[in-house]
Amino acid sequence: MFKDIEKILFDEKTLLNAIKQLGKKISKDYKNKNLFLLSVLKGSIVFMSDLMRNISTHCIIDFMCASSYEGGFKTKGVVKITKDIDISVCGYDLLIVEDILDSGLTLSYILSFLKNKKPKSIKICTLFDKPSRRQADVEADYKCFEIPDEFIVGYGFDYKEKYRNLPFIGVLKKDVYELDVLH
Ligand code: IMP
Ligand code: MG
């Protein structure tokens, strides 16, 4: 698996340091609120597990699953909710925990889906932001890093469902996905 990686963009220590800072800020902002952390599967699981352990105020958590990539390389622009939330968000201050804000198509769909469930407030927290790729009118309230238009894997991020278990964020070697880009 490691031989497929061209370069490491963010190592474990860098990621955790940024997430600790973010956790402190969220803890302060949500001190007297009803925080509900909602992780969007699968990409955000590693970020979610690091972030929630760096939040010092009460919170509840749940997961939902939406997919727009279907495991490939570029977004198809079609969003599917494949797992809904189990707990009612009514009255809670919802914080959506996303892996990356790319075209924004997934998040804008999720946002309108969740607004119908009447949370008290709704905000977006993302580990990465690729602003140059935005198509939908959606911005993050909290983010750790802005990155250029490069396809990343590791730390939850996949290419065709693989590489999620890498402990860092890396860029794949071109020959790993070259054949797919041509097709
Ligand atoms: P969006 O709908 O284009 O904003 O992208 C939504 C999803 O695409 C993200 O939540 C990721 O799961 C996936 N994605 C976007 N960029 C990357 C990347 O560089 N590597 C792996 N997955 C990505
Ligand atoms: Mg995602």
Side-chain angles (χ1 to χ4, degrees):
M1 174 169 67
F2 290 89
K3 68 169 180 18
D4 294 348
I5 303 302
E6 173 79 48
K7 62 179 175 193
I8 294 177
L9 283 184
F10 299 92
D11 61 19
E12 281 179 272
K13 210 172 142 205
T14 310
L15 290 164
L16 200 56
N17 275 340
I19 294 167
K20 277 187 176 156
Q21 295 307 312
L22 183 65
K24 265 191 202 156
K25 183 158 175 30
I26 292 171
S27 305
K28 204 167 137 227
D29 293 355
Y30 283 83
K31 202 173 163 207
N32 297 311
K33 296 191 173 175
N34 272 331
L35 178 57
F36 186 136
L37 291 176
L38 176 60
S39 158
V40 183
L41 297 170
K42 302 171 198 171
S44 70
I45 53 156
V46 188
F47 174 43
M48 174 73 161
S49 77
D50 279 342
L51 179 66
M52 62 191 266
R53 285 177 294 169
N54 283 288
I55 289 178
S56 56
T57 182
H58 280 297
C59 66
I60 65 167
I61 68 161
D62 204 352
F63 301 88
M64 70 182 285
C65 194
S67 98
S68 71
Y69 266 64
E70 294 178 357
F73 185 63
K74 287 266 156 89
T75 184
K76 296 191 175 76
V78 182
V79 183
K80 264 194 318 200
I81 305 280
T82 50
K83 187 218 166 288
D84 199 350
I85 330 172
D86 298 319
I87 307 174
S88 167
V89 299
C90 193
Y92 277 101
D93 296 294
L94 198 57
L95 186 59
I96 304 173
V97 180
E98 252 289 21
D99 52 1
I100 190 163
L101 190 48
D102 188 38
S103 71
L105 294 170
T106 312
L107 255 183
S108 66
Y109 184 85
I110 289 175
L111 266 179
S112 54
F113 175 82
L114 290 170
K115 276 178 185 159
N116 280 333
K117 294 181 184 275
K118 307 270 184 286
K120 191 171 171 204
S121 68
I122 184 162
K123 286 199 171 174
I124 296 163
C125 168
T126 188
L127 179 57
F128 294 108
D129 187 11
K130 279 185 192 167
S132 64
R133 298 215 352 124
R134 199 79 83 251
Q135 288 177 45
D137 183 20
V138 48
E139 289 308 324
D141 300 285
Y142 299 96
K143 68 177 138 186
C144 285
F145 304 101
E146 277 192 11
I147 55 168
D149 183 11
E150 246 176 329
F151 193 79
I152 54 171
V153 292
Y155 198 78
F157 289 85
D158 73 307
Y159 174 63
K160 291 192 159 177
E161 295 298 333
K162 290 196 278 190
Y163 306 102
R164 293 194 198 273
N165 54 321
L166 285 171
F168 52 77
I169 293 284
V171 178
L172 279 179
K173 284 184 182 157
K174 275 209 172 60
D175 56 306
V176 178
Y177 58 77
E178 223 161 36
L179 284 171
D180 289 342
V181 174
L182 289 173
H183 285 114

